[in-house]
Amino acid sequence: MKAGWQTKPLGELCEFQRGLTYAKGDEVDISNNVVLRATNIDLTTNLLNFSELKYISDKVAVPDRKKVKKLSLMICTASGSKTHLGKVAYIDDDYDYAFGGFMGMITPMNGLVPKYLFHLMTSAAYKNFISELSDGANINNLKFDDLKKFQVPYPDSPEQQRIVGILDEAFDDIATAKAIAEKNLQMPVLCSKATSNPFSPSGVRGGWRPPWERYVSSLAVRSRRSQSFRKRGRPTTSASFRFVTTRVTNTSFISHALRPDVSATTDDVMIGRYGPPLFQILRGLEGAYNVALMKALPDESRLSRDFLFYFLKHSTILQYVIYHSERAAGQIGVTKETLEPYPIALPSPGDQQKVVERIIELEAETQRLESLYQRKLATLDALKKSLLHHAFTGQLQNYP
């Protein structure tokens, strides 16, 4: 601990208030009485989340002491999940909202800066304290008497304010960096750019840019039981590729329900018939399989297993399957009748191999980028933990 700092139990520095209890019959769809619950504290960011508000009848009188107060902290005191127990959110305004019976409110006093306490109660030291408490018999409940024993590093107010200023600035920067990394991790560019493009107009490096939309058939629904296909144009060729438009009927789809004696090899293209997720495309399986799977056996004189695998995995057939399955009578699932009418445009065997090689290359790049952004997110989390540790042990210098 830094020289000149004190350490005091939380109970000497705060007031504690339990939440509002009410009957199930008091709940209504909408009213002026809003009650915040554990779901209104984001576990990752410790920010208030108002997307799922609970309303109770206006006839219920809510005392002011049961409403969240600006510059206080709302805390989860009971939860079905150990990870949510003790989580806190900083109250930055007077919302005139109550907080529920499984929640509590902590109001700092005696010179304790509220935002300083908030940051402290998101640190590893606090989380370890809560974890040790919840290892006992009452795993889902947090008693104020126990919480009051938490030891608070207690410098003077100017030092607390300095620490808050540094942490706020640093965490804003970290939040921005994490948002960018998470967006890049989830962006379609990592999936569509890396895997879908080989089946799109701008697909393969080296000049393959056929007017794809002119020869891929589209679905025109006549009824739930009858689907027809129409072509937008004639098949075309490019300098690099010659295509033949055909149907997936060149592939045999064998399910366990039809052929209980069949088994899969590691080279076979396997299809998950039920979800979630619906229509998983798998390889590398070996042995007998049950009704949840279906095997796709192409006419390999025209269609390679590798090309079929990536076509089923990355082409727009997925949208077709989802559309069809959502409208099928009975159990939602994929059948051979679902897949057989779907059109497929075939390059030559040599060009199929080029497509496969390009997809493998792009998938490897996708995995590299995903790993890069995952490492960046982990680094940012580690930086935040390190800043909190240094802040409350008196080692925090100016940021950055």
Side-chain angles (χ1 to χ4, degrees):
M1 188 64 61
K2 189 175 182 179
W5 284 28
Q6 303 178 58
T7 300
K8 293 188 177 183
L10 188 63
E12 293 183 12
L13 299 171
C14 298
E15 294 178 345
F16 298 79
Q17 178 62 57
R18 295 205 172 274
L20 177 72
T21 57
Y22 52 89
K24 182 70 175 178
D26 293 328
E27 297 179 3
V28 295
D29 291 335
I30 191 71
S31 73
N32 293 317
N33 275 343
V34 176
V35 180
L36 300 179
R37 301 165 295 158
T39 54
N40 298 116
I41 300 179
D42 187 282
L43 181 62
T44 303
T45 64
N46 289 99
L47 297 176
L48 286 174
N49 176 4
F50 300 117
S51 61
E52 296 183 24
L53 296 177
K54 175 69 70 175
Y55 298 89
I56 60 174
S57 172
D58 288 329
K59 296 179 181 179
V60 178
V62 180
D64 286 342
R65 68 179 184 279
K66 301 290 186 179
K67 294 182 179 180
V68 293
K69 185 189 304 182
K70 185 178 180 179
L71 304 183
S72 295
L73 277 65
M74 189 169 72
I75 182 171
C76 176
T77 58
S79 174
S81 171
K82 182 177 177 179
T83 57
H84 290 263
L85 196 65
K87 66 178 180 179
V88 296
Y90 178 69
I91 309 302
D92 60 351
D93 204 350
D94 287 317
Y95 293 101
D96 198 34
Y97 292 166
F99 53 100
F102 292 161
M103 308 298 295
M105 186 171 64
I106 302 174
T107 303
M109 58 183 188
N110 297 331
L112 180 60
V113 176
K115 200 66 177 292
Y116 174 88
L117 177 61
F118 166 72
H119 285 311
L120 175 61
M121 295 181 75
T122 64
S123 70
Y126 170 76
K127 292 177 181 178
N128 290 338
F129 173 81
I130 296 297
S131 178
E132 291 175 2
L133 289 180
S134 61
D135 284 339
N138 295 323
I139 187 171
N140 294 330
N141 293 278
L142 180 59
K143 297 179 180 179
F144 279 158
D145 286 344
D146 292 330
L147 185 61
K148 290 176 181 180
K149 299 174 184 177
F150 177 63
Q151 297 298 308
V152 176
Y154 189 57
D156 57 30
S157 292
E159 177 66 6
Q160 292 180 47
Q161 294 286 8
R162 185 188 76 86
I163 291 171
V164 168
I166 294 174
L167 292 180
D168 281 350
E169 180 184 356
F171 291 168
D172 283 346
D173 291 343
I174 290 173
T176 299
K178 286 189 68 173
I180 293 172
E182 288 169 349
K183 182 179 179 180
N184 288 335
L185 190 61
Q186 298 172 5
M187 276 176 58
V189 66
L190 288 180
C191 296
S192 60
K193 177 181 177 183
T195 55
S196 296
N197 277 3
F199 296 106
S200 72
S202 58
V204 172
R205 194 167 50 194
W208 180 28
R209 294 180 179 271
W212 192 265
E213 69 280 1
R214 292 180 57 186
Y215 57 80
V216 172
S217 300
S218 63
L219 178 64
V221 178
R222 290 180 176 173
S223 70
R224 291 188 177 184
R225 295 184 178 180
S226 174
Q227 290 83 29
S228 65
F229 296 86
R230 61 180 176 82
K231 294 181 179 178
R232 295 180 180 171
R234 294 181 179 180
T236 61
T237 62
S238 70
S240 302
F241 292 84
R242 183 177 298 277
F243 297 92
V244 178
T245 301
T246 183
R247 297 278 174 99
V248 187
T249 44
N250 291 278
T251 299
S252 299
F253 296 97
I254 304 174
S255 71
H256 174 80
L258 301 177
R259 293 274 304 279
D261 59 316
V262 297
S263 61
T265 68
T266 55
D267 290 333
D268 283 330
V269 179
M270 306 300 295
I271 300 169
R273 298 185 59 206
Y274 308 106
L278 188 67
F279 199 60
Q280 281 188 296
I281 309 302
L282 309 166
R283 292 188 91 173
L285 305 179
E286 187 172 10
Y289 57 93
N290 63 17
V291 70
L293 290 173
M294 182 164 54
K295 178 165 64 175
L297 291 175
D299 176 359
E300 295 192 77
S301 65
R302 305 179 63 195
L303 175 63
S304 75
R305 295 192 191 194
D306 289 341
F307 188 87
L308 174 64
F309 171 72
Y310 287 110
F311 178 83
L312 294 177
K313 187 176 180 182
H314 296 306
S315 75
T316 54
I317 190 173
L318 175 60
Q319 283 72 40
Y320 162 73
V321 169
I322 294 173
Y323 178 89
H324 181 89
S325 298
E326 287 179 344
R327 287 154 180 78
Q331 185 177 10
I332 294 177
V334 181
T335 66
K336 67 185 187 71
E337 288 78 16
T338 304
L339 300 174
E340 285 177 344
Y342 193 84
I344 179 172
L346 295 179
S348 67
D351 288 337
Q352 288 183 42
Q353 183 59 32
K354 291 181 182 179
V355 173
V356 169
E357 290 172 355
R358 178 57 174 155
I359 293 176
I360 292 174
E361 176 186 339
L362 289 168
E363 284 190 335
E365 177 65 8
T366 297
Q367 292 174 1
R368 186 190 71 81
L369 290 174
E370 288 179 346
S371 177
L372 174 66
Y373 288 122
Q374 291 286 10
R375 291 198 304 270
K376 185 171 184 179
L377 289 171
T379 299
L380 291 169
D381 286 338
L383 174 59
K384 186 173 183 177
K385 291 179 181 178
S386 176
L387 286 169
L388 287 169
H389 172 74
H390 283 79
F392 300 111
T393 54
Q395 304 174 63
L396 187 63
Q397 304 302 318
N398 291 330
Y399 175 84

